[in-house]
Amino acid sequence: MSEANTTRRIIIDCDPGQDDAVMLLLALASPEALDILGITTVAGNVPLDLTQRNARLMCEFAGRHDVPVFAGCDRPLQRALVTAESVHGTTGIDGASIHRPAVPLQDRHAVDFIVETLLAAGDDPVTLVPTGPLTNIAAAIEADPRILPGIRRIVMMGGAMREGGNTTPSAEFNIYVDPEAAEIVLGCGRPLTIAPLDVSHQVVVTHEPLDALRAMPSRVAAETVGMLEFFNRYDSEKYGTEGAPLHDPCTIAYLLAPELFEGKLCHVAVETGSALTRGHTAVDFWGVTGHPPNALWLHRVDPAGFFALLIERLGRYDG
Ligand code: BDR
Ligand code: CA
């Protein structure tokens, strides 16, 4: 069955972040395709108290008070937290109008929610969509490996091959922050789709999607414009492009419209030892190691199709 024609049960694990925020708004606008069982948050772009607040704010903007939001790990498995305020601003979602959201934070720890949900999945396993450091997902696997059959697929944003790194010359941010967690996820044996910088750098926010959003009357569109205008500033200077790459929405776009992407089954390993190349993803794109593939490595996306999907979905909001 086509991935696009099924209503999938998903858990989104994120660290908003403007691009995580747009990813959430895209997912929350697609209830016919995505049954969001919960949004779990992790420390990453900014500390956990801000990422969980930001996720709740997106649910409020989207009018989706029905989706529970959980806070998870406040630091990587074995290392000190590295954050990215220089990219996202001190709030993580600078550019949005920020207040204390009406959507409550759930009492349960995110890792407990993930474990309990996956153990109860039965013959309808759940797709995990991580768009931050992989700490919560790895912690859940470590806590109870019996959850693995409850995972239908993991569709994650992280890593890089052709695009090098955005945090060090060798590493992408999500993998750099918690490489030990990434190693656990890459080795978990469940189907895995990876949207790395190699695809996200093909979907850069230009004036066209921004103009389309500015023409929309909704609050969601206005908040998205505010966030993307801020997000564009840093990356346009860094990369010399018109705007910023929309990393995290690639995961949800893949679930909604996999035909927009090209990928190759590859073996992917992560560097945990070296200080110089910490968090590097070693992608066996040409099959030189003989190791069996553990991931579908996305490497091409149709940018026009991606932005058409995003604009159509964000256009669904009338509030
Ligand atoms: C990833 O790092 C974060 O800054 C973004 O939210 C995205 O998940 C891109 O490297
Ligand atoms: Ca993120």
Side-chain angles (χ1 to χ4, degrees):
M1 202 184 307
S2 153
E3 305 214 12
N5 294 334
T6 351
T7 303
R8 283 177 173 254
R9 299 182 337 126
I10 70 171
I11 295 174
I12 299 174
D13 186 73
C14 58
D15 64 334
Q18 288 90 350
D19 61 324
D20 303 77
V22 175
M23 173 277 298
L24 288 173
L25 294 171
L26 175 62
L28 291 162
S30 308
E32 76 288 355
L34 303 174
D35 178 8
I36 306 172
L37 304 180
I39 297 171
T40 55
T41 55
V42 68
N45 286 322
V46 285
L48 181 67
D49 56 338
L50 297 180
T51 60
Q52 58 87 355
R53 187 272 317 268
N54 295 347
R56 291 188 291 129
L57 206 46
M58 292 309 128
C59 291
E60 184 181 305
F61 289 159
R64 292 294 306 274
H65 295 240
D66 56 306
V67 178
V69 178
F70 302 84
C73 299
D74 64 2
R75 66 182 72 101
L77 294 182
Q78 297 180 22
R79 299 177 190 251
L81 177 63
V82 176
T83 52
E85 284 88 354
S86 61
V87 181
H88 300 275
T90 53
T91 66
I93 52 168
D94 277 29
S97 45
I98 294 170
H99 55 269
R100 184 186 295 195
V103 172
L105 182 66
Q106 300 294 312
D107 288 338
R108 246 185 311 168
H109 193 283
V111 172
D112 294 336
F113 168 74
I114 294 169
V115 168
E116 287 161 24
T117 305
L118 296 181
L119 285 178
D123 58 5
D124 191 8
V126 175
T127 297
L128 302 180
V129 187
T131 64
L134 290 154
T135 320
N136 285 343
I137 308 298
I141 294 170
E142 295 269 88
D144 196 337
R146 292 176 304 157
I147 67 173
L148 289 170
I151 301 174
R152 176 171 170 187
R153 175 171 286 274
I154 300 171
V155 180
M156 57 173 271
M157 192 282 139
M161 183 184 70
R162 294 183 177 139
E163 290 295 299
N166 63 355
T167 301
T168 70
S170 307
E172 179 278 331
F173 179 79
N174 290 338
I175 310 296
Y176 177 82
V177 172
D178 199 342
E180 286 76 20
E183 189 168 54
I184 290 168
V185 171
L186 286 168
C188 80
R190 299 307 298 156
L192 181 60
T193 299
I194 303 180
L197 297 182
D198 301 6
V199 286
S200 69
H201 283 185
Q202 297 173 36
V203 285
V204 168
V205 180
T206 62
H207 64 281
E208 283 167 346
L210 281 174
D211 286 346
L213 287 164
R214 284 189 193 104
M216 292 178 191
S218 70
R219 166 113 195 250
V220 165
E223 299 289 354
T224 304
V225 169
M227 288 192 286
L228 291 181
E229 284 177 339
F230 182 91
F231 196 45
N232 272 356
R233 265 175 242 161
Y234 174 89
D235 276 355
S236 53
E237 263 178 48
K238 178 176 176 180
Y239 296 110
T241 49
E242 189 182 338
L246 268 188
H247 310 284
D248 294 336
C250 288
T251 55
I252 295 295
Y254 173 78
L255 286 174
L256 296 174
E259 67 280 4
L260 295 175
F261 293 84
E262 270 181 49
K264 187 170 180 179
L265 289 169
C266 298
H267 186 268
V268 183
V270 61
E271 176 60 55
T272 56
S274 156
L276 179 65
T277 59
R278 159 185 171 178
H280 174 71
T281 41
V283 183
D284 187 8
F285 200 77
W286 303 117
V288 295
T289 63
H291 297 320
N294 59 353
L296 178 65
W297 182 261
L298 302 181
H299 55 90
R300 196 166 293 155
V301 57
D302 165 10
F306 173 91
F307 280 107
L309 174 69
L310 182 68
I311 295 304
E312 183 268 312
R313 292 302 153 106
L314 296 187
R316 291 177 170 187
Y317 290 107
D318 52 14

